Amino acid sequence: MTANTKSRHDAARTQNQTAFKADRITVYTNPQRVLLFTHDILSCSLTLSVCESIISAPSIIDRSSSAIRSLFSNSKVSPSRLIYITAGLAFSPASPKPFGGPKTQPGYIEYIGTTVTSLLHYLVEASFKRYWACRGRDALDFLVSCVNRARKLHFDGNADILNELMLKGMKKAGHIEWNKPARIPEALRHRREVESEEGRSEVRFTPRLTRLKYAFKKYSTDGLI
């Protein structure tokens, strides 16, 4: 083998190795746990739980959204107010993906809805799509913490902080304009109340471990496949 032939052979082998590494696909041997948000009645909190039954991805989104609405309905204020406060806590460049990111283009700007229902759906769906795509629980745990913190802040009773967070959530969701003074509607105003003893118990975010029997459709980046 001449020097030129050997050189070409080595170059081709290096190119093939590089191409193989670029096309390599990571295959996970263990299936993802099927998780969903649940309203823990005893602790009056949102928890992340392992699902034992067969459930589709849209059902996970719907049931998890319903769990948040159920938790927020157990107070004197409108659930919409607490959803906006949750968005105010979550929509920040410093938040983990899918909500955070560069200051000039954070993840939450992908939300384009115009209703509170669509806002809640986005918060839940974006968190689960991140979990399904990346296998990490960061987005799910973060949303759970924002929801529980919004409820705790409500019972702490500082109306100024709550109003500021609510307006922040409304503005970053695009539901009110940034550069105009905002007047809080009567339906979204703070209502002072005292939390029950059950609601003061310790909040845990670790899902309950159960045997998994599941089959659900996964989301692609464009939608359901």
Side-chain angles (χ1 to χ4, degrees):
M1 182 181 294
T2 65
N4 289 338
T5 302
K6 185 176 185 300
S7 177
R8 287 196 300 270
H9 177 73
D10 291 342
R13 183 173 61 182
T14 301
Q15 184 177 8
N16 289 338
Q17 289 175 342
T18 302
F20 174 75
K21 290 180 180 179
D23 296 335
R24 183 175 294 173
I25 298 174
T26 301
V27 178
Y28 296 99
T29 57
N30 297 323
Q32 269 186 319
R33 285 174 173 164
V34 180
L35 304 177
L36 75 164
F37 298 143
T38 56
H39 174 193
D40 190 320
I41 304 296
L42 294 178
S43 66
C44 295
S45 66
L46 188 72
T47 60
L48 185 58
S49 302
V50 175
C51 181
E52 301 179 72
S53 59
I54 297 175
I55 185 171
S56 67
S59 294
I60 291 174
I61 302 299
D62 290 342
R63 287 172 58 176
S64 295
S65 299
S66 295
I68 296 176
R69 286 194 296 268
S70 174
L71 175 66
F72 284 167
S73 66
N74 290 334
S75 66
K76 293 181 180 179
V77 298
S78 167
S80 297
R81 176 179 171 85
L82 296 176
I83 291 170
Y84 278 129
I85 291 172
T86 300
L89 293 168
F91 285 3
S92 169
S95 298
K97 292 183 178 180
F99 308 119
K103 289 184 178 181
T104 56
Q105 196 172 9
Y108 65 80
I109 65 173
E110 294 181 358
Y111 170 69
I112 56 174
T114 59
T115 65
V116 181
T117 298
S118 69
L119 177 59
L120 176 59
H121 186 273
Y122 167 76
L123 288 165
V124 174
E125 182 183 52
S127 299
F128 275 100
K129 288 176 74 171
R130 180 74 181 175
Y131 169 65
W132 293 329
C134 302
R135 297 179 68 92
R137 278 180 39 178
D138 289 353
L140 297 176
D141 287 334
F142 176 69
L143 184 56
V144 167
S145 69
C146 287
V147 168
N148 287 327
R149 187 181 173 198
R151 184 182 182 280
K152 181 180 184 302
L153 287 171
H154 165 68
F155 284 103
D156 286 346
N158 191 321
D160 291 337
I161 292 177
L162 291 163
N163 290 339
E164 182 179 352
L165 283 170
M166 186 189 72
L167 293 174
K168 177 184 175 183
M170 296 176 77
K171 289 178 178 180
K172 291 197 171 185
H175 291 185
I176 59 175
E177 297 186 38
W178 273 99
N179 56 354
K180 291 185 178 180
R183 181 177 179 275
I184 298 177
E186 178 66 28
L188 295 179
R189 290 183 182 176
H190 178 63
R191 301 286 185 270
R192 187 174 295 277
E193 61 182 312
V194 178
E195 187 175 16
S196 65
E197 289 298 326
E198 290 81 2
R200 296 172 185 165
S201 59
E202 182 179 3
V203 176
R204 299 181 182 274
F205 299 147
T206 304
R208 293 179 287 272
L209 299 179
T210 55
R211 295 183 62 185
L212 298 178
K213 296 180 180 179
Y214 71 96
F216 72 104
K217 298 178 181 178
K218 292 185 178 180
Y219 276 96
S220 68
T221 54
D222 297 324
L224 192 63
I225 57 175

